[in-house]
Amino acid sequence: MLFLTQFVYVYPGKETTFHAFEEIALPLIAKHGGDLLLRVRPTSDSVVAASIAIPYEIHLVCISSEEDLRAFSEDEARQRVLHMKNESVRATILVQGTSI
């Protein structure tokens, strides 16, 4: 079992494009043996300490295996809208872990 935490930084003004990408991409996680456990939009009021820029969103995903993660990444429906992610996301930080 893999746990992925992704910090997503969106270009200002590109939030609508990012949301359109997510509407298609996020449901595909379950199709490939995963679960979106947490999706948070932090604000400066909700963050206690930050020595990095506050991301637009934070995702915590659990997925069965590297193979399932690859299948999600390569899913045809996701590939068709990947241009929306590329247009709207300026940076991401991905942290991968496993359960104990």
Side-chain angles (χ1 to χ4, degrees):
M1 191 68 64
L2 301 176
F3 290 87
L4 305 167
T5 303
Q6 184 177 43
F7 299 82
V8 182
Y9 296 87
V10 174
Y11 289 112
K14 294 294 185 173
E15 295 85 359
T16 301
T17 303
F18 179 66
H19 297 169
F21 168 75
E22 285 193 319
E23 284 180 28
I24 295 167
L26 292 180
L28 298 173
I29 295 169
K31 175 183 172 186
H32 296 287
D35 188 19
L36 178 61
L37 301 174
L38 184 67
R39 180 179 173 202
V40 178
R41 290 193 183 139
T43 66
S44 58
D45 293 335
S46 67
V47 175
V48 175
S51 59
I52 62 171
I54 297 171
Y56 180 73
E57 275 190 2
I58 301 170
H59 301 161
L60 176 59
V61 174
C62 175
I63 197 158
S64 301
S65 66
E66 291 278 350
E67 294 79 22
D68 288 335
L69 177 58
R70 190 173 313 106
F72 163 73
S73 295
E74 296 172 357
D75 188 287
E76 186 177 313
R78 183 178 178 275
Q79 290 297 312
R80 281 195 302 271
V81 296
L82 198 55
H83 66 92
M84 290 189 288
K85 178 184 177 194
N86 295 336
E87 178 185 324
S88 61
V89 174
R90 70 173 179 84
T92 60
I93 299 172
L94 183 65
V95 181
Q96 183 172 324
T98 57
S99 64
I100 53 173

